[in-house]
Amino acid sequence: MRRKAGGRRTRTRTERKQGRYITSRVPRGELTDVAFDATLRVAAPFQRQRRQPHIKRAVVLHRSDLREKVRVRRTRNAVCFVVDASWSMAAETRMQATKAAVLSLLRDAYQRRDLVGLVSFARDRATVLLPLTNSVEMAQQRLRTMPTGGKTPLSRGMMAGFELLARAKLRDREILPLMVLLTDGHANVSMTGQPPQQEAYQLAEFIASQQIPTVVIDTELPNFYRGLAKELADRLNGSYYQLEELSVGLAELVRSHQELSRINI
């Protein structure tokens, strides 16, 4: 993942000329940040055969020798939890797990400038319970009451989460977004008049096309497994987990995905 501006926390590659020089590579496009040491190492074995008696040069370089610097800087993460609060799942249990994960991530987010947000969806609407923030105090106030019950407007929930992360990316082009969707994958309320399940899958494909990484936590009870959340994760090009089978807490799972974003640069 290559970046074009400065950052704070997670280490990612940057196209700026600032940042720590970690390695070199063959140039991609216009060369503006020459790695002189790497360029000289590539050219060194050919110096004897390249030298010409009538031209006095200390080093003879060919275009194929040129290498550019790969630099890293630090940026911050933006994590948005999107939680199904309808009666189609054990809402209260899932809400409690989400609250704990949000507060856990926020406790170490302030110094790193990370942002955490929360969207719930139920009945016929999605509610931004917590805008993207690094304030534990705000989170504690907003998370005291989280409404549950009613139908499942899955598309509205995903759209609200996507909009929060998209706005964050507009403000900071280098921010690393992550949507964590807790749902059984079942939709029964539509925004556009399309069949709700079809609409949710189409929206998932759109979110995937916008390069928003996602993690889907399947909250469907094992005895009633229909595979809807798995299909949703596939449409999102996201990671899929069953809540009942998670060997780590939700906050730790998110942290592991943030580390993958750091490594896969």
Side-chain angles (χ1 to χ4, degrees), residues 79-85 89 95 98 102 117-121 126-127 146 153-165 178-184 207 214-217 219 232 250:
V79 181
C80 183
F81 291 88
V82 179
V83 186
D84 186 344
M89 52 186 277
M95 286 297 194
T98 304
V102 168
L118 174 61
V119 171
S120 72
F121 58 95
T127 304
M146 297 174 65
L154 177 56
S155 295
R156 292 186 186 277
M158 290 194 298
M159 179 59 76
F162 166 74
E163 288 174 345
L164 277 182
L165 294 172
L178 177 65
M179 182 187 297
V180 182
L181 179 59
L182 288 89
T183 180
D184 61 5
I207 292 173
T214 57
V215 176
V216 176
I217 311 296
T219 59
L232 188 66
L250 191 52

Side-chain angles (χ1 to χ4, degrees), residues 6-193:
R8 296 181 181 85
R9 182 203 175 196
T10 299
R11 184 182 301 168
T12 60
R13 291 184 184 180
T14 177
E15 292 179 346
R16 301 180 71 196
K17 292 185 181 180
Q18 299 176 355
R20 188 160 66 88
Y21 168 33
I22 58 168
T23 187
S24 63
R25 66 185 174 199
V26 175
R28 302 174 181 177
E30 183 181 357
L31 177 59
T32 60
D33 195 10
V34 178
F36 290 103
D37 57 333
T39 298
L40 291 173
R41 284 195 297 271
V42 173
F46 308 104
Q47 292 307 297
R48 181 173 295 178
Q49 64 195 62
R50 289 179 182 177
R51 286 190 181 126
Q52 300 178 27
H54 60 284
I55 300 178
K56 294 183 179 181
R57 293 181 183 174
V59 179
V60 180
L61 297 179
H62 290 177
R63 180 172 294 275
S64 59
D65 301 328
L66 295 176
R67 296 295 183 269
E68 67 180 358
K69 291 181 179 179
V70 176
R71 299 178 182 270
V72 293
R73 290 176 64 84
R74 293 185 180 274
T75 187
R76 58 181 175 174
N77 300 289
V79 181
C80 183
F81 291 88
V82 179
V83 186
D84 186 344
S86 70
W87 289 127
S88 63
M89 52 186 277
E92 188 61 31
T93 301
R94 278 45 170 180
M95 286 297 194
Q96 292 302 323
T98 304
K99 286 182 184 180
V102 168
L103 292 173
S104 176
L105 290 170
L106 281 173
R107 287 189 185 101
D108 63 11
Y110 180 76
Q111 293 295 331
R112 302 172 181 180
R113 304 290 182 89
D114 282 356
L115 302 174
V116 181
L118 174 61
V119 171
S120 72
F121 58 95
R123 301 183 179 92
D124 61 350
R125 66 179 65 88
T127 304
V128 179
L129 294 173
L130 183 69
L132 289 171
T133 182
N134 58 13
S135 170
V136 176
E137 291 76 14
M138 177 187 289
Q140 289 174 333
Q141 293 173 3
R142 298 287 183 91
L143 299 182
R144 284 173 185 160
T145 58
M146 297 174 65
T148 60
K151 295 184 178 181
T152 312
L154 177 56
S155 295
R156 292 186 186 277
M158 290 194 298
M159 179 59 76
F162 166 74
E163 288 174 345
L164 277 182
L165 294 172
R167 285 196 294 268
K169 287 187 69 176
L170 284 175
R171 291 191 294 268
D172 182 350
R173 293 170 61 188
E174 293 192 343
I175 205 164
L176 298 179
L178 177 65
M179 182 187 297
V180 182
L181 179 59
L182 288 89
T183 180
D184 61 5
H186 179 248
N188 54 26
V189 177
S190 172
M191 296 188 298
T192 63

Side-chain angles (χ1 to χ4, degrees), residues 242-258:
Q242 290 181 306
L243 183 62
E244 304 294 334
E245 297 179 353
L246 281 182
S247 58
V248 297
L250 191 52
E252 290 305 314
L253 177 65
V254 172
R255 290 188 182 101
S256 70
H257 275 268
Q258 291 172 338

Side-chain angles (χ1 to χ4, degrees), residues 207-227:
I207 292 173
S209 73
Q210 300 303 300
Q211 306 300 311
I212 300 292
T214 57
V215 176
V216 176
I217 311 296
D218 190 348
T219 59
E220 190 165 46
L221 298 176
N223 294 339
F224 300 95
Y225 182 74
R226 293 168 292 179

